[in-house]
Amino acid sequence: MGLFRKKRPVMQLSREEALNCIPVKSAAIQATQTPEGMVRLRYPLVLKPWIAELAQRFSGAQYTPPSRQLELDELGSLTWDLINGKQTVRGIVRQFSGQTQVHPKEAEAAVTRFLRELGRRGIVGMAPGRKQ
């Protein structure tokens, strides 16, 4: 029975390893610019497999998975624009700090928290970067 399976341990990265990772945007994301210059993200809602199958069975032939929208503020939009699939988190933090005149430690905390939340929603993934 699968009720009491142990969860696999999550690999913890050190601060240096995390800053050397490269954020990559998910291909399933649709990003649009609002008239105010902010970024609006539309992303598919990740459902548990049994819920998705149930929804597909009861919805008919034309099932489209549900999606969500997330409108980023000015700083979130800036960070989103800095994610290019080539630059490390450390590089994004440096650019963010320089463009917003924020102390580097505060920029690191804000950018990593933002990337962690986007990762939790499946909007970005992290690719291992090279070691320095």
Side-chain angles (χ1 to χ4, degrees):
M1 295 215 318
L3 291 175
F4 300 106
R5 286 188 195 157
K6 289 185 180 179
K7 290 185 179 181
R8 286 187 268 155
V10 177
M11 187 177 81
Q12 295 291 324
L13 297 176
S14 70
R15 178 177 171 271
E16 288 301 314
E17 291 171 330
L19 289 174
N20 287 331
C21 286
I22 300 170
V24 180
K25 296 176 183 177
S26 171
I29 304 304
Q30 297 172 346
T32 56
Q33 199 90 13
T34 65
E36 298 85 30
M38 306 300 166
V39 174
R40 181 177 295 135
L41 303 175
R42 181 183 220 73
Y43 61 98
L45 186 61
V46 178
L47 299 175
K48 297 199 182 285
W50 66 272
I51 294 175
E53 183 161 339
L54 200 68
Q56 190 170 6
R57 285 186 185 194
F58 288 112
S59 67
Q62 292 293 342
Y63 172 73
T64 56
S67 63
R68 293 270 172 118
Q69 283 190 17
L70 176 66
E71 191 162 327
L72 305 178
D73 62 3
E74 185 178 340
L75 298 177
S77 297
L78 170 64
T79 306
W80 178 258
D81 291 337
L82 293 174
I83 300 172
N84 60 11
K86 298 174 186 164
Q87 189 164 254
T88 63
V89 174
R90 185 185 313 277
I92 292 172
V93 167
R94 274 194 210 115
Q95 277 193 289
F96 182 88
S97 176
Q99 290 182 14
T100 59
Q101 311 302 316
V102 174
H103 190 273
K105 286 289 184 187
E106 291 177 27
E108 181 181 322
V111 169
T112 54
R113 193 173 326 119
F114 177 70
L115 291 174
R116 190 175 307 126
E117 179 61 27
L118 292 182
R120 188 183 67 74
R121 294 177 186 224
I123 297 172
V124 297
M126 292 292 176
R130 56 178 155 54
K131 298 190 181 202
Q132 290 183 345

